[in-house]
Amino acid sequence: MASGILVFCEHDNGAPKKTAFELLGKAVSLSADVGGSVTAVMVGADSSGGLGEYGAATVYTVAGDDFATYTTGAWTDAVAAVIAEVDPALVLAPASSSTRDFFPRLSARLGAGMITEATSLSAEGGELVAFRPVYGGKAFSGVKVTSSLALVTVRPNSFGQPSATGGTANHEALSVVVSGNYASHVDTVASTSTVVDLTEADRIVSGGRSLKSKEAYDDVIGTLAAAMGATPGASRAAVDAGYASHTSQVGQTGKVVNPSLYIACGISGAIQHLAGMRTSKVIVAINKDPDAPIFQHATYGIVGDLFDVCPALEKVIRERL
């Protein structure tokens, strides 16, 4: 009978991303009700990456040329093989570009129920209950899976970072033969950015069309973000105008983020933008229009010109830090 929790851990060259530790911490807290042990899997890595310190009893790795870079078929085969080996009741994974692609295929192949973009997880009488945003974040829906195996992707920053327990994990390397891969990896263009990716950032400062130029975006948004250790973001309007790159876009056609703090500077609050950041823990809106829709969703609102407010805010932050 299936039992236990398997955590799919993303990594950078073998170093687990912070979402891996976040999900392991949640898995440990759920395991008392779900039953069984907590295991982890890393695809394209050949070491356990210290995951034992965060609760993983065993770390399975699938390495080799077929798994060195992401392709849909190969990673589906790899995780399916680990699931067959572990026979878990629950598989947790971060909601990311890769899991949005291959987890639905994994679900279809295994006949497993799947919940996407969960922001809350609990076990009631041994049964998993998840809540996920719907209608662009306007409401939350409670979801249960009736199959013996449940696949759940979780928005980053939903549970916070756990403390290391100092434990160790057994390391099991699996050899997996790719059954069919209809895509090939051509090249990887690494980002030159030194800031945390938007999807994992704990603090984000975003700018809108009101900035009027790329130079203003860099000077105002980039400087404020740097002062508080945040990641710069942008609305679609700012990206379309060329003020920021598409990788900085937050919203329905950009990245969905879930930080502890989101500062929206000169962003009106269109539904497409709100769909990408509405679940942020604290939202601060800076806009000179007191009737801007963003204020209806903000925890704190500042009515004023962003060119005056942002530098003043940056000065205070630097003095305090």
Side-chain angles (χ1 to χ4, degrees), residues 168-190:
T168 57
N170 296 320
H171 177 207
E172 298 284 347
L174 288 188
S175 178
V176 177
V177 177
V178 177
S179 61
N181 198 14
Y182 304 104
S184 59
H185 176 258
V186 177
D187 192 17
T188 299
V189 179

Side-chain angles (χ1 to χ4, degrees), residues 183-207:
S184 59
H185 176 258
V186 177
D187 192 17
T188 299
V189 179
S191 171
T192 57
S193 175
T194 58
V195 298
V196 178
D197 184 81
L198 277 172
T199 56
E200 294 190 13
D202 190 55
R203 285 166 282 185
I204 296 173
V205 179
S206 280

Side-chain angles (χ1 to χ4, degrees), residues 4-203:
I5 302 174
L6 174 66
V7 179
F8 172 73
C9 299
E10 294 190 328
H11 63 91
D12 286 320
N13 298 317
K17 292 187 176 181
K18 72 174 191 175
T19 52
F21 304 127
E22 178 183 3
L23 292 182
L24 280 172
K26 186 60 177 179
V28 169
S29 67
L30 287 173
S31 61
D33 293 312
V34 174
S37 61
V38 175
T39 55
V41 54
M42 290 204 296
V43 180
D46 55 11
S47 70
S48 61
L51 295 177
E53 295 186 25
Y54 291 85
T58 303
V59 177
Y60 291 85
T61 58
V62 181
D65 292 342
D66 288 330
F67 310 100
T69 53
Y70 175 75
T71 53
T72 306
W75 284 42
T76 302
D77 286 340
V79 178
V82 175
I83 291 174
E85 181 77 15
V86 177
D87 192 23
L90 170 64
V91 180
L92 295 179
S96 65
S97 57
S98 63
T99 59
R100 289 186 185 100
D101 179 43
F102 87 92
F103 255 61
R105 290 164 172 80
L106 192 63
S107 171
R109 178 183 298 187
L110 301 177
M114 181 175 173
I115 300 170
T116 61
E117 302 280 344
T119 57
S120 173
L121 288 173
S122 61
E124 299 176 3
E127 190 175 38
L128 182 75
V129 179
F131 281 85
R132 61 182 302 275
V134 293
Y135 303 119
K138 290 182 179 179
F140 285 83
S141 174
V143 190
K144 295 181 180 179
V145 171
T146 57
S147 59
S148 60
L149 172 63
L151 308 181
V152 181
T153 65
V154 178
R155 283 195 180 180
N157 299 318
S158 292
F159 307 127
Q161 290 292 301
S163 300
T165 62
T168 57
N170 296 320
H171 177 207
E172 298 284 347
L174 288 188
S175 178
V176 177
V177 177
V178 177
S179 61
N181 198 14
Y182 304 104
S184 59
H185 176 258
V186 177
D187 192 17
T188 299
V189 179
S191 171
T192 57
S193 175
T194 58
V195 298
V196 178
D197 184 81
L198 277 172
T199 56
E200 294 190 13
D202 190 55
R203 285 166 282 185

